[in-house]
Amino acid sequence: MRETGKTKEAAKAGDRRGIKEREKAAGIIFIIILAFYPLRHITWGLDLWDMGYNYANFQYMGLEHMDSMWLFSTYFANVLGNLLTKLPFADGLAGMNFYTGLFVSFLAVAGYVFCTKKLGVSPLMAFLGEMVAVSLCWCPTALLYNYLTYVLFLACVCFLYEGLTGQKRGYLAAAGICLGTNVFVRFSNLPEAAMILAVWAYAVIDGREKGQKKQQIIRRTALDTLWCFLGYVASLAVFLGYIHVRYGLDAYTEGIRRLFAMTDNAADYKASSMIMGLVTIYTENLYWVVRIGMIAAVGLIFFGMLHFSTERLDIIKRNPRLSSFLKASGRVLWALAAAAMLGWLYYRGFCSLQFYSYDSILRPGVLFLMLAMFIGAVRIFHRSCSPQEKLISGMLILMVLLTSIGSNNGVYPSLNNLFLAAPYTFWQCGRFIKSHSVIRRKQLVISTEPLKWLLGAFLAMFLFQTLLFGVCFVFAEATGVRDVSARVDNNEVLRGIRMSPERAEWMSSVTSYVQENGLQGREVILYGQIPALSYYLQMPSAFNPWPDLRSYGAEVMKQALSEVEGRPVIIMEREYAGYIEEGNQGLVDLGLTEKRIGEIEGDEKLELLMEYMEENGYQRTFSNEKFSIWE
């Protein structure tokens, strides 16, 4: 008997080792996939807006070719981007996309490791969550000020969690350093300092859990806050000291002053507009929450009646077969109801199946964010929840909310930064689905089974939508690329890049002209939604690659034009060139709307540029379907 017992124990131990080995192998495979999946689109699509604009700022970093407001408000991102341009194979768009894409790879792998090692999330749930997070990265990786923000924000959360739960105050200082550095990655990251709320809340929650006195809690809170503050101030001092030595603090303060003043021209950057934009999106999505909630209420009533009939009615209780049949029938019926709910959501336009459009993921994504914050709030106030779980739940709520503050893109930045929130939400949903389905409170019996079916149905839809969005979507001028069947052969920066035949024709012809006339390396003034040409054509900007942005004021442009030396080349988008040559009739011939015609006619900065061109005798020397060159 003893031998048999030992044999069984050995077999169980062997099974456990086998399970651990399989989990380890699966973890390695998951990490490899997460490392390479973000690089899937590095040769897809040609964007004339943000992608080339940011790479131009990296390549030509400095006050000579950049606007001081943009240089200093995203300073550390520009410094790091400039370093990337010096790496091997970074002389082309594909190479730069590869290097900036590695930041997403790091976010996915780091999020996976933290969730599995520190939070105890199962490898599969963590992997699915990270795949969703990467798939929802709609923003081009060239916008390094976004992805570097997410890297430091993720590091801050990890350091805070380790520092608070392990009482390691050095980690709290590291968290402060991350938040301070993030101010120089993007100045609008200032609200992230609200993460200090997690420090205060955890001191109270954990202190009460351990029976500490009020004075002890206050002392602990003060010390933890001091360590975070020291790290924060130290990072600020280092960056400000370096900027002072290199540029002078006057240049920095002038650039930041203009950042605050830009709300006069771009009202959507006002704090009130940003917050109201978020409130509006979440409020609008309540339309779907209420209706799904009504379906859930019907399910709770249905299963309540089912349990009452199978447990209280004698005629059914005495017949086990009938009782089992009714329960199985109820599950089948509710599974069909959950499927019907998905059909209704698709029918009512909750999301689109056109995966080059944000419509395919916006509403499901917002609902997922609301679900993540709801679960976090429930776990915070749940009695059986540990202080550590309450801490991470609260920090993830802050992370979702704070990511979108400082941007005029509404809720989209939060959808772009789910590297902790997505695995956490899948983890908690999995725990709920696996939990016991019947809750008994004296005479009251509540079945959570209908909620599980609806939750499972939504998560299946969410996975389907986001993963296909991730496979299909590539950013190009605020929408998705649809055609990548052509390439440009005469442009080294764009070698290997796949784009539509129309864009390939635009870029091929303008590149030929620039090369044949020796314009590469010449300073350029770009006007129209074409700032990326500075990078694609290797022509540094005379003062700002994107002067027609609303955040770039007319007075600033007037001053910049007065300081321009030599005769820079001017490249315009066709609609502006048409207005210069033919006036209002040129815009009408292009088929522009009355609203757009009015915007161009009233463009004060365009008038300034036209005056400059007239004073210096500029003539049009090249034109194609998209661009016109003036020399």
Side-chain angles (χ1 to χ4, degrees):
M1 292 294 292
R2 289 180 182 175
E3 290 296 318
T4 303
K6 290 181 179 179
T7 302
K8 288 182 178 179
E9 289 178 7
K12 289 180 180 178
D15 290 341
R16 286 194 294 269
R17 283 195 300 271
I19 291 172
K20 287 183 179 179
E21 288 176 0
R22 287 193 293 272
E23 287 183 348
K24 185 178 180 180
I28 294 172
I29 294 171
F30 289 158
I31 287 175
I32 291 173
I33 294 172
L34 292 174
F36 286 97
Y37 178 58
L39 307 176
R40 65 200 180 280
H41 290 150
I42 61 173
T43 61
W44 274 33
L46 183 80
D47 169 48
L48 297 175
W49 291 6
D50 297 275
M51 190 178 294
Y53 170 64
N54 281 273
Y55 289 153
N57 287 329
F58 297 164
Q59 184 172 2
Y60 305 116
M61 179 191 166
L63 291 173
E64 183 181 0
H65 301 297
M66 288 182 68
D67 176 44
S68 64
M69 180 185 75
W70 191 251
L71 172 65
F72 292 124
S73 64
T74 58
Y75 183 71
F76 188 44
N78 291 321
V79 169
L80 193 55
N82 181 257
L83 293 175
L84 293 180
T85 64
K86 304 180 188 306
L87 295 176
F89 309 109
D91 56 344
L93 181 58
M96 285 300 294
N97 285 344
F98 172 80
Y99 289 123
T100 56
L102 291 177
F103 285 84
V104 184
S105 299
F106 175 82
L107 283 163
V109 172
Y112 174 86
V113 172
F114 178 76
C115 288
T116 54
K117 301 299 183 183
K118 292 296 180 180
L119 303 184
V121 180
S122 72
L124 179 60
M125 290 294 101
F127 174 70
L128 288 176
E130 296 301 341
M131 286 294 288
V132 162
V134 175
S135 296
L136 284 174
C137 286
W138 57 271
C139 179
T141 56
L143 278 70
L144 201 55
Y145 59 85
N146 280 337
Y147 289 99
L148 189 54
T149 289
Y150 305 152
V151 167
L152 290 170
F153 207 176
L154 174 64
C156 168
V157 171
C158 296
F159 284 137
L160 281 179
Y161 184 84
E162 187 68 15
L164 292 172
T165 59
Q167 287 296 291
K168 302 173 183 177
R169 292 200 166 105
Y171 283 90
L172 299 182
I177 290 172
C178 290
L179 291 181
T181 302
N182 245 350
V183 175
F184 292 90
V185 172
R186 188 178 63 186
F187 191 80
S188 55
N189 287 334
L190 273 172
E192 290 177 7
M195 288 300 293
I196 198 67
L197 292 173
V199 177
W200 300 341
Y202 186 75
V204 174
I205 294 170
D206 191 53
R208 288 179 177 176
E209 185 83 7
K210 294 177 179 177
Q212 293 179 341
K213 295 181 180 179
K214 184 177 180 180
Q215 292 80 2
Q216 292 176 301
I217 294 174
I218 293 174
R219 182 175 178 276
R220 176 180 171 181
T221 304
L223 285 174
D224 289 349
T225 302
L226 178 61
W227 278 93
C228 292
F229 181 73
L230 288 174
Y232 192 83
V233 171
S235 64
L236 294 182
V238 168
F239 275 97
L240 286 175
Y242 177 78
I243 290 173
H244 173 62
V245 170
R246 178 155 188 185
Y247 302 100
L249 280 181
D250 289 344
Y252 178 76
T253 54
E254 173 61 20
I256 299 303
R257 184 194 66 77
R258 283 189 40 227
L259 181 69
F260 284 100
M262 77 176 184
T263 55
D264 296 338
N265 302 313
D268 51 337
Y269 277 99
K270 291 183 178 179
S272 57
S273 297
M274 294 177 189
I275 293 172
M276 285 308 300
L278 291 177
V279 171
T280 300
I281 291 174
Y282 285 121
T283 302
E284 288 175 350
N285 223 54
L286 286 175
Y287 172 90
W288 305 100
V289 174
V290 169
R291 280 148 182 80
I292 294 173
M294 292 172 63
I295 297 172
V298 171
L300 290 172
I301 294 171
F302 173 75
F303 272 83
M305 294 173 61
L306 184 63
H307 277 279
F308 177 84
S309 61
T310 55
E311 294 182 5
R312 301 291 181 85
L313 297 180
D314 289 340
I315 190 172
I316 298 177
K317 284 174 62 178
R318 293 172 184 172
N319 192 333
R321 285 190 174 183
L322 178 59
S323 178
S324 299
F325 174 76
L326 289 176
K327 289 179 181 179
S329 299
R331 294 190 184 97
V332 171
L333 185 61
W334 199 249
L336 294 174
M341 180 194 74
L342 294 185
W344 174 77
L345 287 173
Y346 278 111
Y347 175 74
R348 291 298 305 271
F350 178 69
C351 54
S352 165
L353 292 176
Q354 296 178 328
F355 295 103
Y356 56 81
S357 166
Y358 297 117
D359 290 338
S360 60
I361 51 91
L362 178 57
R363 291 192 182 99
V366 175
L367 190 55
F368 186 80
L369 292 176
M370 297 173 77
L371 176 65
M373 291 188 286
F374 173 76
I375 291 173
V378 169
R379 299 308 294 170
I380 289 172
F381 294 104
H382 201 285
R383 291 182 180 179
S384 66
C385 192
S386 67
Q388 293 82 3
E389 192 174 333
K390 290 182 179 182
L391 171 64
I392 194 65
S393 299
M395 286 198 293
L396 288 175
I397 292 174
L398 287 172
M399 201 171 189
V400 169
L401 293 174
L402 293 174
T403 297
S404 287
I405 296 177
S407 168
N408 65 339
N409 288 322
V411 77
Y412 284 101
S414 294
L415 292 176
N416 213 132
N417 185 25
L418 291 176
F419 298 95
L420 282 184
Y424 167 87
T425 305
F426 277 102
W427 172 45
Q428 296 289 5
C429 289
R431 293 171 67 182
F432 173 70
I433 291 172
K434 291 178 181 178
S435 66
H436 192 58
S437 297
V438 178
I439 302 173
R440 300 180 186 274
R441 293 291 184 270
K442 296 181 180 180
Q443 300 298 318
L444 181 64
V445 178
I446 301 175
S447 174
T448 59
E449 192 157 345
L451 302 182
K452 293 178 179 181
W453 279 103
L454 295 182
L455 178 61
F458 168 71
L459 291 178
M461 166 193 265
F462 182 68
L463 274 170
F464 174 77
Q465 292 293 132
T466 54
L467 293 179
L468 282 179
F469 177 81
V471 169
C472 301
F473 183 87
V474 178
F475 181 94
E477 292 98 63
T479 186
V481 172
R482 302 193 194 188
D483 185 356
V484 288
S485 60
R487 300 187 186 192
V488 175
D489 297 324
N490 61 345
N491 189 308
E492 285 299 307
V493 174
L494 300 179
R495 66 182 181 274
I497 299 298
R498 298 161 60 187
M499 64 193 79
S500 69
E502 182 183 37
R503 289 173 183 251
E505 175 59 32
W506 296 343
M507 291 307 304
S508 180
S509 61
V510 74
T511 298
S512 293
Y513 180 83
V514 167
Q515 292 176 347
E516 290 168 4
N517 291 273
L519 301 184
Q520 280 187 326
R522 288 270 304 275
E523 285 194 339
V524 66
I525 298 175
L526 300 166
Y527 206 83
Q529 303 290 297
I530 53 171
L533 289 189
S534 174
Y535 177 67
Y536 299 157
L537 299 178
Q538 293 293 282
M539 300 177 69
S541 169
F543 48 83
N544 183 341
W546 207 343
D548 47 306
L549 277 179
R550 286 178 297 126
S551 57
Y552 189 71
E555 288 300 318
V556 180
M557 182 171 173
K558 183 176 182 179
Q559 179 67 24
L561 285 171
S562 68
E563 297 173 356
V564 169
E565 296 180 358
R567 288 171 57 88
V569 179
I570 296 177
I571 304 179
M572 289 188 170
E573 197 172 6
R574 184 186 176 192
E575 58 186 31
Y576 293 97
Y579 177 65
I580 290 176
E581 293 185 325
E582 303 177 37
N584 177 274
Q585 186 58 44
L587 301 177
V588 173
D589 292 342
L590 288 173
L592 301 182
T593 64
E594 291 185 9
K595 179 182 178 182
R596 182 61 183 146
I597 291 174
E599 289 173 349
I600 293 175
E601 289 180 332
D603 190 335
E604 186 178 356
K605 288 181 289 185
L606 179 60
E607 293 296 326
L608 290 172
L609 184 56
M610 290 170 62
E611 291 175 9
Y612 174 82
M613 294 167 67
E614 186 175 351
E615 289 173 3
N616 291 276
Y618 276 84
Q619 297 291 327
R620 181 169 63 84
T621 56
F622 170 84
S623 184
N624 64 16
E625 292 297 314
K626 185 66 176 179
F627 315 117
S628 288
I629 295 180
W630 302 69
E631 298 176 78

